[in-house]
Amino acid sequence: MPLDTSTYSLALLRLDGRRWNELRRMHAQISTQPTADGSSYLEMGNTKVVCTVAGPAEGRRAGGGGGTAGDANAMVQVEIGIAGFSGVDRKRRGRGD
């Protein structure tokens, strides 16, 4: 679909052609990994996120026994894995790159 420039100046567009108040295209799915207890996929622009959930699992106690029915406390353990290329710290590239 061609952009109607009669009502909007090209100088006000972003490099990818969006106006200042337009968001990037977004795509989301749930239950994307059949072996996980829960999973999702989210894509917005060039950012892609995959999330998987495994559990719940029976916790381990220091005494070696399981929890009792009267326990009022719970513990949630979260592990986050981030790919090495996807961090927020960026390496400065040389002029030849």
Side-chain angles (χ1 to χ4, degrees):
M1 166 166 96
L3 184 64
D4 179 19
T5 58
S6 63
T7 59
Y8 204 80
S9 171
L10 287 176
L12 299 176
L13 295 179
R14 297 179 184 187
L15 293 176
D16 60 1
R18 292 180 293 130
R19 296 183 176 122
W20 69 272
N21 61 348
E22 290 180 318
L23 296 175
R24 290 182 174 100
R25 184 170 299 211
M26 187 169 98
H27 173 74
Q29 288 180 298
I30 59 173
S31 300
T32 57
Q33 304 292 323
T35 58
D37 292 322
S39 61
S40 64
Y41 173 80
L42 177 69
E43 183 176 323
M44 186 170 184
N46 292 328
T47 302
K48 297 169 179 60
V49 177
V50 175
C51 178
T52 58
V53 176
E58 188 68 32
R60 292 189 209 143
R61 296 243 163 176
T68 61
D71 281 349
N73 298 325
M75 181 174 61
V76 176
Q77 288 183 315
V78 177
E79 293 181 26
I80 299 174
I82 300 175
F85 60 84
S86 65
V88 293
D89 297 331
R90 301 289 184 204
K91 294 180 181 176
R92 190 164 191 100
R93 293 184 178 186
R95 291 190 177 249
D97 287 347

